[in-house]
Amino acid sequence: MEAESDNIDCKNEKILLGNEAIAYAVLASGASVVTSYPGTPASEILTTVMKLVKEQDLPVHAEWSINEKTALEIAFANSISNKRSAVAMKQVGLNVAADPVMSAAYMGVRGGLVIIVADDPGPHSSQTEQDSRFFAMFAKIPVLDPGSPEEALTMTMAAFKLSEKYKTPVMVRPTTRVCHARQAVAVPGITPEARPALFEKEPHRWAATPGPRLKLHIELNTKVKSITHDPLAGVKLLNGKDESSQAIVASGITYAYLKDIMQNKPEWRDLSLYKIDMPYPLDPESLDHISRSHTNVMVVEETEPVIEYQFPCRRNVRGRIDSTIPNAGELTPDILTPIIDTFLGLKRLYPEIHTTKQRRPSLCAGCAHRAAFYAIKKALPKGIYTSDIGCYTLGLNLGAVDTCLCMGAAISQAAGFFHAFKHEESPPPIVATIGDSTFFHAGIPPSVNAIVTGARFVLVILDNATTAMTGRQPTPGTGSVASDFNHDGLSLEQILEGCGIRSVITKDPYDIPGFIKIVKDAYDLSASQGVVAIIARHPCIQDRAMIGTQQAFTMSVTDDCNACGYCVKEFECPALEMGEDTVVIDPTICSGCGVCVHVCPRRALEAKPL
Amino acid sequence: MDINNTDTQIFMVGRGGQGILVLARALSEIAFKKGRRVITSETHGMAMRGGTVTSSLKIGDFASPLIPAGCADILIGLEQNDTRDYLHMLRPGGITIVNTEDRNDFTYAVDATGIALNQGLKGSANMIMLGFVIRYINTDFYDACAVMESISPKRVLDQNIKALEIGFETASNEKYNQSH
């Protein structure tokens, strides 16, 4: 680390990813417990915390928690022990952590508690575009909206101070473009805080029954009111005058976009541009002052009209509510420029942007999930296939994923489909697929539930021994999820049996014929046993350590290929493409796994051991 | 083009797994080492599984990471079809440097994938492209090597440096020095 920074460091500046900047800020603020569950665009926050803790031998407990709810509760307990704490997650993770957040806001904190929630306008890698700033408003906790890696760092540090000043959890809400931007930032020094743990018993707060909760709610309202007068709540005028015909109020990355566009737009020169760092809670009087001082005001923010709704009078306020700004999708510079031009009464000189066609993502060449999906489809072609959140959602390209609702829902939805169809004459087979990390996160309660309510389906755990899509974080099954504790990992077999599942079969899906047989057998068995589980076990192909140990083949297409296209369509491996007369294998992509030999109906794909 | 004193916006496009992130990261560290301000944007998550991946690098006094359409000075493509979909990102007079056997349509065509396969450098086409680009933006080869040493995993460092050198030499070849 030191050698590295000497090489590229000038004036203690370093190019950091937004998420890395947040990690530095968390540790520089003296947090002693940092928790997270991986999720794009937030994953690199804890990865970086773990790396720094190890490199600098810091007395910090960092952990990949089993899910976001658990992560938040652990951080909260550390915080009410008077120690600084941080928890990081993606926006849908906050839905999972909603229960403790709502209650923690009432109770308040002692050591600073910063909840970092990364939103994903677009969405680029999420189920929803939900705006976590609304969640902060719902929970009545302040939220900061950084617009660059630099601001992500300074605002995270400010959030700890704000949290302790008002004894409230504070949310920091970066968006994808901030999390995954890189910028040179001044790196703060990390000195661990030596504050001792101290828990003052106060049952009417920490274990409050409904009666005292009303008092806590009133206390919370008073906090919110005083935060609106904090310097951080100020609305900053950064361009133009405080009295003019047109004003724009922006926050987060949208402010940064406007600043850059303005440099090349002399016609925007007179525009009054305000910046808001803390979109909730806002002082209604300062917003009212803005709408009274200008003929028209436009609010530019991602993703929902959080600031806009807080204007006491919106008669001359434009934005998402009146659809001046589209109320879905990311606000890129290309989308913003014509909107602002129109608002300012300028002619649209900007060319219309045609949407580019994007190549769809696909499971990696050599991914064992592909083999499992292919086998499931072959074994039970008329099935309903419920699935879940992870790389394996891409099984939909193979026609082997019919549903993907939220973490853990593959299993509860499988039960739901069973009950929906059980009185039909010939109910379809139901196969749930869920990854190992997702199973630990939210798959255990619905498994127990399915067993005790008589649901019948085949449950396939796609166990690649990692949280693959977010960059291969460890899972409770692999162990080593905490910075200061070693664990060998729990057995999925034992957990499934503990859930009450009587038959648990483990099999490598690379053996497609064998896997097809097991899926068929499991389905037959489910008639008498309810839920039958298969663990499809094969390590992630991105895991370099395993690539070395796996038998590799040189693949070729023989003269028997008649270009029927079956393998390209049904197996959907990115290394297989339709050529002119035959299928061709792209050697730059092929992993040499050899699985596709089982797929070709004419046996025209050949594998020779390397 | 010289990134030492000109504000430069570089847009990169490729397919998940081709190494766009490393290419963008290396270029940003190279510019930063020269004392320039940089800001970049990256694609992570599901799109990295073989989907279209883009990245932008803005060198100079910029606050935000995205490049507006029609503003990129350089478009680097690791895959020619994906690159064609993003030609609108270029400013008038901007240049394209693309990994392809086909020289038509692009300012510079570098058969990085072909060279990588021939030289036993599978997976390093992105570094061959980087070698080509640094020559074009007037950067010292050893500065680029130093950056790769600081950001590259040890396991692939030698391979990366070799690929970088091949790309740099390719750009130094006479046929590429003809002005376009």
Side-chain angles (χ1 to χ4, degrees):
Chain A
M1 188 69 194
E2 284 307 311
E4 227 182 86
S5 30
D6 286 344
N7 272 342
I8 45 176
D9 209 9
C10 34
K11 292 170 290 172
N12 205 26
E13 274 201 336
K14 209 174 157 81
I15 297 185
L16 294 183
L17 199 61
N19 283 342
E20 293 170 343
I22 291 170
Y24 272 94
V26 162
L27 293 175
S29 300
S32 62
V33 165
V34 189
T35 60
S36 183
Y37 180 81
T40 312
S43 312
E44 300 82 5
I45 298 170
L46 195 81
T47 308
T48 309
V49 167
M50 290 258 194
K51 184 170 150 256
L52 292 172
V53 165
K54 199 174 160 200
E55 281 169 359
Q56 304 192 18
D57 196 21
L58 301 168
V60 172
H61 173 79
E63 67 164 56
W64 290 112
S65 307
I66 198 163
N67 60 34
E68 294 85 354
K69 171 177 149 66
T70 305
L72 202 133
E73 290 156 355
I74 289 166
F76 180 67
N78 189 61
S79 162
I80 66 174
S81 305
N82 206 35
K83 312 262 287 179
R84 286 191 167 181
S85 325
V87 50
M89 62 193 77
K90 70 179 295 179
Q91 88 286 39
V92 287
L94 183 59
N95 301 339
V96 177
D99 210 359
V101 171
M102 297 303 290
S103 195
Y106 274 45
M107 293 176 181
V109 303
R110 291 298 174 256
L113 173 61
V114 175
I115 306 170
I116 301 138
V117 187
D119 279 356
D120 188 23
H124 295 275
S125 205
S126 304
Q127 306 93 295
T128 71
E129 287 195 291
Q130 65 192 73
D131 190 327
S132 301
R133 301 174 310 158
F134 260 144
F135 212 115
M137 184 191 273
F138 183 39
K140 300 189 174 179
I141 60 171
V143 54
L144 303 177
D145 194 0
S148 65
E150 204 173 2
E151 279 191 351
L153 188 135
T154 52
M155 285 189 186
T156 303
M157 295 186 78
F160 278 100
K161 291 183 187 144
L162 192 71
S163 174
E164 285 180 358
K165 187 172 170 187
Y166 297 96
K167 295 186 163 56
T168 176
V170 173
M171 186 188 292
V172 175
R173 195 286 307 238
T175 57
T176 303
R177 297 297 183 186
V178 175
C179 294
H180 293 157
R182 277 182 199 274
Q183 188 182 33
V185 297
V187 179
I190 298 170
T191 357
E193 202 181 34
R195 216 191 278 189
L198 175 73
F199 176 60
E200 285 178 18
K201 293 198 179 195
E202 205 184 325
H204 291 308
R205 178 178 300 278
W206 310 128
T209 49
R213 290 274 174 168
L214 176 65
K215 218 175 106 196
L216 293 178
H217 190 186
I218 293 164
E219 182 185 293
L220 175 60
N221 288 341
T222 313
K223 280 182 198 174
V224 171
K225 182 111 184 154
S226 44
I227 296 169
T228 61
H229 302 301
D230 190 274
L232 263 175
V235 183
K236 293 181 258 179
L237 177 67
L238 292 174
N239 188 69
K241 300 187 187 119
D242 61 359
E243 279 184 0
S244 67
S245 56
Q246 271 111 357
I248 290 183
V249 178
S251 83
I253 192 119
T254 55
Y255 170 78
Y257 292 147
L258 293 175
K259 198 178 162 203
D260 275 352
I261 303 167
M262 269 178 134
Q263 291 201 348
N264 296 314
K265 282 257 183 192
E267 57 274 35
W268 287 15
R269 192 177 48 226
D270 298 328
L271 178 70
S272 302
L273 179 60
Y274 293 90
K275 180 175 190 272
I276 287 177
D277 289 339
M278 185 166 74
Y280 176 82
L282 284 168
D283 177 16
E285 275 177 37
S286 53
L287 292 181
D288 204 40
H289 178 75
I290 293 174
S291 58
R292 282 170 194 281
S293 311
H294 304 276
T295 319
N296 284 304
V297 177
M298 177 145 77
V299 187
V300 184
E301 57 187 322
E302 279 186 319
T303 311
E304 299 287 345
V306 173
I307 296 169
E308 203 179 333
Y309 270 125
Q310 291 177 80
F311 272 85
C313 170
R314 292 199 301 271
R315 206 174 27 236
N316 61 339
V317 177
R318 305 280 158 267
R320 301 224 188 227
I321 297 172
D322 68 355
S323 299
T324 303
I325 293 175
N327 42 28
E330 191 183 4
L331 289 182
T332 61
D334 291 329
I335 288 171
L336 276 175
T337 308
I339 295 171
I340 310 274
D341 279 344
T342 309
F343 175 67
L344 297 178
L346 298 166
K347 229 173 109 187
R348 284 189 184 204
L349 300 167
Y350 217 71
E352 294 282 335
I353 309 298
H354 50 91
T355 12
T356 43
K357 57 172 192 293
Q358 301 250 321
R359 185 192 295 270
R360 77 176 181 187
S362 168
L363 293 167
C364 301
C367 175
H369 297 339
R370 172 177 289 106
F373 282 128
Y374 179 80
I376 290 167
K377 227 172 36 170
K378 282 299 239 187
L380 302 167
K382 297 219 164 80
I384 293 178
Y385 311 124
T386 62
S387 195
D388 224 293
I389 312 280
C391 287
Y392 52 91
T393 312
L394 295 170
L396 63 90
N397 292 351
L398 283 92
V401 167
D402 293 325
T403 70
C404 170
L405 181 65
C406 62
M407 296 288 282
I411 302 173
S412 6
Q413 281 191 289
F417 278 117
F418 169 76
H419 296 302
F421 281 90
K422 67 184 175 192
H423 299 304
E424 300 298 314
E425 207 168 300
S426 51
I430 296 159
V431 184
T433 47
I434 184 168
D436 49 336
S437 182
T438 312
F439 176 73
F440 282 110
H441 177 286
I444 298 169
S447 298
V448 173
N449 193 71
I451 286 292
V452 300
T453 53
R456 294 204 287 271
F457 55 88
V458 178
L459 167 59
V460 182
I461 312 281
L462 300 165
D463 179 17
N464 59 359
T466 191
T467 317
M469 192 169 72
T470 47
R472 291 188 298 110
Q473 294 79 9
T475 76
T478 63
S480 308
V481 292
S483 60
D484 50 4
F485 183 69
N486 287 324
H487 188 276
D488 292 340
L490 297 171
S491 148
L492 273 172
E493 284 84 347
Q494 287 179 0
I495 290 172
L496 287 160
E497 282 160 14
C499 290
I501 299 171
R502 279 192 281 157
S503 294
V504 180
I505 311 146
T506 302
K507 176 86 187 155
D508 186 337
Y510 264 29
D511 169 14
I512 285 187
F515 203 82
I516 292 173
K517 184 175 180 304
I518 277 189
V519 175
K520 282 182 179 166
D521 291 349
Y523 173 64
D524 293 342
L525 205 56
S526 70
S528 59
Q529 295 201 354
V531 181
V532 176
I534 300 171
I535 300 172
R537 180 165 287 152
H538 193 101
C540 176
I541 194 81
Q542 296 287 341
D543 183 339
R544 311 261 175 200
M546 74 71 55
I547 288 175
T549 62
Q550 183 173 314
Q551 166 80 58
F553 300 91
T554 305
M555 299 303 300
S556 57
V557 182
T558 70
D559 294 342
D560 291 336
C561 176
N562 64 349
C564 70
Y566 177 85
C567 60
V568 173
K569 187 167 174 284
E570 298 296 319
F571 197 56
E572 206 253 349
C573 176
L576 295 170
E577 287 172 15
M578 285 306 294
E580 277 174 26
D581 306 316
T582 65
V583 161
V584 287
I585 294 169
D586 184 339
T588 63
I589 297 175
C590 180
S591 71
C593 70
V595 173
C596 58
V597 296
H598 301 298
V599 173
C600 176
R602 297 174 68 92
R603 294 267 157 195
L605 292 164
E606 204 172 65
K608 284 197 188 120
L610 265 179
Chain B
M1 187 148 312
D2 189 344
I3 58 160
N4 293 301
N5 42 33
T6 322
D7 283 2
T8 310
Q9 305 193 57
I10 304 175
F11 190 83
M12 288 151 268
V13 55
R15 188 172 171 177
Q18 285 187 314
I20 277 279
L21 289 191
V22 181
L23 177 66
R25 172 126 193 251
L27 280 172
S28 64
E29 295 284 0
I30 288 167
F32 178 59
K33 222 178 160 188
K34 289 166 171 288
R36 300 303 312 274
R37 287 195 64 76
V38 293
I39 187 160
T40 75
S41 176
E42 303 177 349
T43 313
H44 289 235
M46 190 177 267
M48 287 174 80
R49 300 279 170 263
T52 304
V53 171
T54 65
S55 206
S56 46
L57 164 61
K58 293 159 88 174
I59 303 167
D61 188 22
F62 296 100
S64 69
L66 293 187
I67 301 173
C71 293
D73 301 289
I74 305 174
L75 172 60
I76 303 173
L78 290 188
E79 209 282 329
Q80 59 165 335
N81 292 327
D82 289 334
T83 308
R84 285 206 174 84
D85 291 335
Y86 284 91
L87 288 174
H88 64 270
M89 294 304 295
L90 274 183
R91 67 164 166 80
I95 66 139
T96 47
I97 305 175
V98 181
N99 171 21
T100 172
E101 298 168 288
D102 177 12
R103 280 205 81 165
N104 300 324
D105 303 345
F106 304 119
T107 325
Y108 295 101
V110 188
D111 182 18
T113 303
I115 297 171
L117 274 183
N118 286 335
Q119 304 279 337
L121 299 168
K122 186 181 165 184
S124 287
N126 61 333
M127 287 296 111
I128 294 176
M129 291 298 288
L130 176 66
F132 191 98
V133 172
I134 56 168
R135 175 79 177 77
Y136 180 79
I137 58 173
N138 194 19
T139 296
D140 187 79
F141 175 71
Y142 294 100
D143 283 353
C145 287
V147 164
M148 286 320 297
E149 273 165 30
S150 66
I151 66 169
S152 189
K154 289 215 164 45
R155 164 177 64 75
V156 288
L157 179 61
D158 287 348
Q159 179 169 340
N160 280 343
I161 299 286
K162 195 175 166 202
L164 191 71
E165 196 173 355
I166 291 171
F168 194 79
E169 279 167 9
T170 308
S172 309
N173 279 350
E174 213 175 329
K175 60 174 179 172
Y176 289 107
N177 284 338
Q178 292 159 1
S179 62
H180 286 261

